Amino acid sequence: MTLAADSEVDVLIVGAGPAGLMLATWLSQLQIKTRIIDKRSTKIMAGQADGFQCRTLEILDSFGIDRVWKESNHMLEVSFWNPDENGVIRRSARAPDTPKGLSRFTESVLHQGRMERFFLDHLKETGDRVRVERPIVPSLLQVDEPEINNPSAHPVTLKIQHLTDEQATPSQGNNIPNGLFRSNLTADDTDDLIRKSSGKEGTEETIKAKYVVGCDGAHSWTRKQLGFKMEGEHTEIIWGVLDVVPITDFPDIRVRCLIHSASSGSLMVIPREKRVVRLYIQLKEVGAGGGAVDRSKVTPEQILKAAQKIIAPYKLDYEQCDWFTAYQIAQRVSDGFEKFNRIFLAGDAVHTHSPKAGQGQNVSLQDSYNLGWKIGMVARGQASSEILKTYATERQQIARDLIAFDQKFSKLFSGRPAKDVSDETGISLEEFRNVFHQGAVFAAGLSVDYGPNILVVKEDEGKEGTVRCRPDLANKLKIGMRLPSHKIVNQSDALAIELQKLLPSDGRFRLIVFSGDISKPEIYSRYEKLGEYLSSKDSVVSLYTPQNSPRDSVLEVLTIHSAKRTDIELQSLPEAFHPLDKSKGWDYWKVYADDESYHEGHGQVYENFGIDRDEGCIVVVRPDGYVAATVAVADTKSLEAYFERFMIKL
Ligand code: FAD
């Protein structure tokens, strides 16, 4: 029996942690009718995740959210401490925390509650279309299976319960008295502590949705309704976490440190914002005894004592503790990420692992970053629901890679340091540093490489009417990976700008035309022909752009030429490359030069992407900034073949 609905919505998100808020941000940006519910009466205020990878910072920047970068502590250095021949810890090496040249950003640290604050503020400032509704839990999930292939149907029904204050008991700091955990609260967070009544407490509601997304954390209710299981290991290793303002004579307390003591275990130091330092400590005294740890038995004093032993002969103490916890590592991936192409799971709901490599929040945010634009395009009627299938295939692989990385990293970190070269069961410093460095690109979120699917074409498909993909035309650019950033120079005003700044998360595909040196007549003529095509009524731009919408609202065409900037006049280029909007004038922000800038050097984007300065190419970029295909400049047929795979003609 199908329940009668009180209301309908395009997307209903369960859970307003990092994964849920990222999804809400995408859907609000794309103006999709969305609701997001959470069982907590407030967002979190302290603790939990704190590391922001380069890729996450790039993604946040693409939404115009720069407050993490501004407010966080930028971790620039990592140092390794190991026992010397007398068993006393010594600094054995130093290295940059983020390898040079990976990204515009470096790894940064700020507590998860601030991230949630920034998402909530951003949602409010950009239209106030989506608000988190609290405290609410879902109690029933039903799917009208005959309707799942009907694009206009709302086949998922969810019954929700509005909780009373007594029912909603958010845990903020694991027994840290309120005054203490709130002592480091930021002024703009305090308002959230005042509970505002929704007037609906104790009532039930039935909602019909086109899509439901479970972003409801490790104990996901949504996952359980779908019958999916978490597969993997529950290890015996127990770790304590302390967020404290340390009082210590340890010299490296303000850089990231990996400390292996001779016989007291390991400690990781994460220098944080507002004088706080997070300490991850291996707890030798608290045995799991084969089952789950009773975390309520672990006290901050106990964790501190373990840390003091590892860091000796240096002294360590604190007066202020913001948060603490103890955890046992479970490395697990769900055996399903979606059902019926209508219900999806993201974040901790589908993968859990140790937090030390700072991956949890990042991978969770990136799951729903992958999903948001796809649901948006399908809900708007722009793309076929086939693209939704790529969510599970793309992200399930990432989750598996994450667990493999975490298993390697955790084992090394929890292992006993080798006494000397003949000690085969111990972990040598060399081994540890190698894994750390090899893992740095992965840990930065920059090794994500989506395999071939309806959205990603990696090779020439070989026949007429298919995508004649030409990876050789940009042989240092990896199709399936995020487009790296280099400085380019605006043709019209000489401003040097990062390429990624031209790719805001606004739901558009981009055709980046690396036109070559258009000061040469034969190259210009090829470019001119492309312009004629793009302006024609049968071009990919015309076919997929609604009639009364701006020309660049679905597919945006950007040019990066390799001529000397001063040899080119914007006004002499075909209009398709700098369209005129009668109310706004000519578009001066679509044509760029790969040239020397006045103040910021030469970005050498052609060289960095392996593009010949005469031959050029067109790079198709997905709305999430990942490279979808590379084709020849004159090959408009391949552009048509690419978009025909999933776009809906309007
Ligand atoms: P969550 O952040 O867990 O968010 C899930 C949201 O769903 C919550 O707001 C919750 O209230 C809500 N919810 C849950 N069930 C329901 C329901 N039935 N109905 C409605 N709402 C529901 N990561 C690190 O990188 N470093 C760390 O040090 C670290 N420490 C952690 C300590 C703890 C105690 C926990 C729980 C996690 C920690 N993590 C850490 C992991 C990190 O916080 C997560 O990986 C990240 O928050 C995942 O984001 P998410 O949005 O998927 O899930």
Side-chain angles (χ1 to χ4, degrees):
M1 188 192 74
T2 312
L3 294 169
D6 297 315
S7 60
E8 286 185 346
V9 70
D10 286 336
V11 186
L12 181 60
I13 306 168
V14 182
L21 288 169
M22 166 61 82
L23 186 62
T25 300
W26 247 136
L27 297 172
S28 162
Q29 169 77 33
L30 302 178
Q31 308 207 12
I32 305 298
K33 197 172 163 195
T34 303
R35 285 178 72 175
I36 175 166
I37 58 169
D38 197 285
K39 69 176 180 183
R40 292 172 184 265
S41 50
T42 67
K43 71 176 193 66
I44 67 156
M45 299 294 164
Q48 296 204 191
D50 61 358
F52 289 88
Q53 305 169 340
C54 301
R55 181 60 190 145
T56 302
L57 291 161
E58 290 177 0
I59 291 170
L60 294 174
D61 190 61
S62 75
F63 282 107
I65 300 175
D66 59 0
R67 288 169 70 188
V68 173
W69 184 239
K70 284 183 179 157
E71 208 174 286
S72 60
N73 182 50
H74 301 178
M75 279 201 306
L76 294 173
E77 191 174 51
V78 56
S79 74
F80 301 85
W81 287 69
N82 271 55
D84 64 12
E85 57 285 2
N86 301 315
V88 179
I89 55 163
R90 292 258 181 270
R91 186 192 295 121
S92 43
R94 279 175 161 151
D97 182 64
T98 305
K100 207 173 159 199
L102 270 192
S103 167
R104 298 177 278 149
F105 299 100
T106 53
E107 188 177 15
S108 299
V109 210
L110 183 69
H111 82 78
Q112 183 179 325
R114 292 303 290 160
M115 175 73 261
E116 294 185 10
R117 162 89 284 131
F118 304 153
F119 272 130
L120 294 170
D121 287 352
H122 185 77
L123 283 169
K124 201 166 180 187
E125 287 156 13
T126 52
D128 210 7
R129 286 182 283 269
V130 185
R131 285 185 190 183
V132 179
E133 300 171 57
R134 308 170 185 273
I136 295 175
V137 287
S139 56
L140 187 97
L141 177 79
Q142 232 179 34
V143 182
D144 187 2
E145 286 189 42
E147 286 293 301
I148 55 173
N149 293 321
N150 173 0
S152 55
H154 293 72
V156 193
T157 305
L158 209 70
K159 196 185 247 187
I160 60 168
Q161 292 183 347
H162 293 260
L163 303 181
T164 59
D165 257 353
E166 294 71 43
Q167 292 166 316
T169 48
S171 166
Q172 299 285 4
N174 288 14
N175 307 334
I176 298 276
N178 279 352
L180 205 48
F181 90 78
R182 288 172 190 177
S183 62
N184 224 2
L185 264 193
T186 310
D188 59 353
D189 268 353
T190 48
D191 192 41
D192 279 287
L193 293 171
I194 304 160
R195 173 95 173 84
K196 295 157 198 100
S197 168
S198 66
K200 293 182 182 169
E201 290 85 351
T203 64
E204 280 192 343
E205 209 184 318
T206 303
I207 306 166
K208 278 186 178 292
K210 284 186 173 170
Y211 302 98
V212 166
V213 187
C215 299
D216 44 353
H219 305 286
S220 171
W221 175 90
T222 317
R223 185 186 68 231
K224 286 174 196 150
Q225 307 314 300
L226 301 180
F228 295 140
K229 304 236 163 1
M230 294 296 275
E231 294 176 336
E233 291 173 18
H234 204 260
T235 68
E236 285 288 293
I237 304 155
I238 297 152
W239 289 82
V241 187
L242 277 182
D243 282 354
V244 294
V245 178
I247 300 167
T248 181
D249 55 356
F250 180 66
D252 282 1
I253 200 71
R254 290 305 304 173
V255 299
R256 183 178 183 194
C257 291
L258 306 165
I259 307 171
H260 269 90
S261 72
S263 54
S264 302
S266 311
L267 167 67
M268 179 149 85
V269 175
I270 304 282
R272 287 256 307 266
E273 76 283 1
K274 294 184 136 199
R275 296 173 179 264
V276 170
V277 171
R278 171 166 289 190
L279 304 171
Y280 283 104
I281 303 125
Q282 195 175 339
L283 296 178
K284 299 210 105 193
E285 282 81 5
V286 192
V293 198
D294 182 356
R295 294 194 301 176
S296 65
K297 293 215 173 94
V298 180
T299 64
E301 293 75 25
Q302 214 173 353
I303 305 175
L304 176 69
K305 222 163 120 195
Q308 286 168 333
K309 278 193 188 161
I310 299 167
I311 211 167
Y314 299 100
K315 304 267 180 295
L316 173 70
D317 210 338
Y318 67 81
E319 289 264 309
Q320 182 183 317
C321 175
D322 276 9
W323 185 78
F324 81 96
T325 191
Y327 64 87
Q328 196 171 2
I329 301 173
Q331 290 152 328
R332 293 176 173 162
V333 183
S334 171
D335 61 0
F337 275 46
E338 63 82 29
K339 201 150 188 175
F340 306 122
N341 223 14
R342 290 283 187 171
I343 308 170
F344 301 88
L345 298 169
D348 274 14
V350 275
H351 41 73
T352 63
H353 46 87
S354 82
K356 283 184 303 298
Q359 298 294 302
Q361 171 170 241
N362 292 282
V363 179
S364 299
L365 285 166
Q366 287 166 34
D367 282 346
S368 49
Y369 184 63
N370 179 290
L371 180 61
W373 63 274
K374 295 174 184 172
I375 293 191
M377 287 192 78
V378 177
R380 284 169 150 194
Q382 289 176 317
S384 123
S385 60
E386 280 299 297
I387 67 169
L388 295 174
K389 293 184 180 157
T390 64
Y391 169 68
T393 52
E394 292 186 342
R395 296 309 295 178
Q396 214 154 4
Q397 186 53 46
I398 301 300
R400 288 194 200 108
D401 294 348
L402 169 64
I403 300 304
F405 168 75
D406 192 54
Q407 279 168 345
K408 224 173 181 182
F409 192 72
S410 296
K411 214 154 128 197
L412 282 182
F413 200 73
S414 307
R416 175 183 61 79
K419 292 191 182 79
D420 51 44
V421 280
S422 63
D423 180 0
E424 283 178 10
T425 55
I427 310 289
S428 75
L429 174 64
E430 217 35 51
E431 196 181 349
F432 189 78
R433 279 173 57 191
N434 282 343
V435 172
F436 185 84
H437 290 306
Q438 283 160 16
V441 180
F442 181 88
L446 297 174
S447 64
V448 170
D449 184 357
Y450 296 137
N453 58 37
I454 195 170
L455 293 166
V456 177
V457 187
K458 294 204 170 194
E459 287 173 0
D460 182 354
E461 294 184 318
K463 51 181 193 295
E464 203 60 25
T466 63
V467 185
R468 312 303 306 263
C469 186
R470 295 283 309 274
D472 57 304
L473 295 181
N475 59 36
K476 293 187 202 158
L477 194 62
K478 295 256 166 50
I479 299 171
M481 298 184 83
R482 71 87 162 96
L483 189 78
S485 199
H486 297 283
K487 282 263 166 74
I488 46 180
V489 186
N490 187 312
Q491 178 63 42
S492 51
D493 62 9
L495 185 80
I497 186 167
E498 288 285 347
L499 173 52
Q500 281 183 354
K501 281 283 185 192
L502 309 185
L503 315 175
S505 290
D506 54 15
R508 293 184 286 177
F509 272 85
R510 285 173 175 101
L511 306 179
I512 307 186
V513 181
F514 288 89
S515 59
D517 183 351
I518 49 175
S519 65
K520 296 180 180 165
E522 68 283 9
I523 293 177
Y524 181 75
S525 135
R526 184 183 64 181
Y527 182 60
E528 197 174 32
K529 272 205 193 106
L530 177 67
E532 277 165 25
Y533 163 79
L534 292 170
S535 297
S536 74
K537 68 176 182 22
D538 296 325
S539 77
V540 285
V541 174
S542 308
L543 286 179
Y544 301 114
T545 308
Q547 247 184 0
N548 295 322
S549 302
R551 285 290 289 171
D552 61 357
S553 57
V554 178
L555 307 183
E556 183 181 32
V557 181
L558 298 166
T559 298
I560 303 174
H561 65 74
S562 60
K564 211 167 158 1
R565 180 183 151 265
T566 47
D567 288 348
I568 303 297
E569 293 297 340
L570 184 77
Q571 288 303 337
S572 65
L573 304 182
E575 184 178 334
F577 299 112
H578 60 119
L580 175 67
D581 177 322
K582 293 238 166 71
S583 63
K584 295 182 185 156
W586 294 98
D587 195 327
Y588 296 99
W589 297 274
K590 294 214 188 309
V591 179
Y592 296 83
D594 180 28
D595 197 2
E596 189 75 30
S597 66
Y598 284 114
H599 302 287
E600 296 177 53
H602 195 312
Q604 302 290 3
V605 66
Y606 274 68
E607 189 183 330
N608 283 311
F609 288 174
I611 300 173
D612 182 88
R613 292 186 81 80
D614 282 345
E615 191 163 19
C617 67
I618 301 176
V619 176
V620 183
V621 182
R622 308 185 338 175
D624 55 2
Y626 286 78
V627 179
T630 312
V631 302
V633 174
D635 188 5
T636 55
K637 291 281 169 232
S638 281
L639 292 179
E640 288 169 5
Y642 174 75
F643 287 106
E644 247 170 36
R645 294 151 71 104
F646 58 89
M647 290 290 277
I648 293 172
K649 288 180 189 155
L650 297 164

